[in-house]
């Protein structure tokens, strides 16, 4: 396959990681534990803690990154490794949800409808870092047309944005019932 290296932090669901040969996986799990303890000890500093955690993860994963032709990173964790990969000539693919500015805007509209105060969902420093990642990316993967629109609204070139919807093809399961024997147990 194309996977040459997989760098991850703490993962609750390790089923994907378990399918990857161990020699290709680098886990930075202690970092998440340290920041979890700090976040529980100082809950009011949660956005600063999250920002620093994400920055440190990006820094460490950048230092562990091997030379590659294709780099795929996830939003808010990839700035440093993206810079390193880009400088070595790699094509950089970035994956994220909505544009970081869209989270706060959407929440503000909904909060106004019900009359509640709008908390800061994405800190300004995190939003700026994600915007730098977006600028560095050769391609941006989003999971919906709605998410794509948030990038277009922020003047991200449409040629960079690729929509890869979440879901499955129901046609692949049309004949599934015929393959079940009468003795099969069927769970829904």
């Amino acid at each position: 396959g194309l996977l040459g290296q997989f760098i991850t932090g703490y993962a609750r669901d390790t089923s994907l990681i378990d399918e990857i040969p161990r020699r290709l996986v680098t886990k930075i799990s202690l970092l998440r534990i340290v920041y979890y303890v700090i976040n529980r000890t100082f809950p009011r500093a949660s956005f600063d803690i999250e920002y620093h955690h994400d920055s440190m993860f990006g820094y460490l994963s950048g230092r562990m990154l091997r030379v590659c032709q294709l780099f795929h990173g996830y939003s808010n964790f990839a700035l440093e490794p993206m810079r390193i990969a880009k400088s070595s000539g790699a094509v950089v693919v970035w994956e994220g949800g909505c544009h970081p500015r869209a989270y706060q805007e959407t929440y503000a509209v909904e909060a106004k409808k019900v009359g509640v105060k709008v908390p800061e969902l994405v800190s300004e420093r995190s939003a700026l870092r994600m915007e730098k990642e977006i600028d560095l990316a050769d391609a941006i993967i989003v999971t919906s047309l709605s998410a794509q629109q948030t990038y277009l609204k922020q003047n991200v070139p449409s040629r960079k944005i690729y929509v890869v919807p979440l879901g499955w093809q129901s046609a692949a399961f049309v004949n599934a019932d015929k393959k079940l024997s009468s003795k099969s147990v069927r769970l829904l």
Side-chain angles (χ1 to χ4, degrees), residues 34-47:
V34 168
Y35 280 98
Y36 176 81
V37 170
I38 292 171
N39 197 26
R40 290 293 183 190
T41 307
F42 306 103
R44 290 188 181 147
S46 63
F47 273 112

Side-chain angles (χ1 to χ4, degrees), residues 42-55:
F42 306 103
R44 290 188 181 147
S46 63
F47 273 112
D48 278 341
I49 296 300
E50 286 299 319
Y51 175 82
H52 292 297
H53 167 268
D54 298 348
S55 297

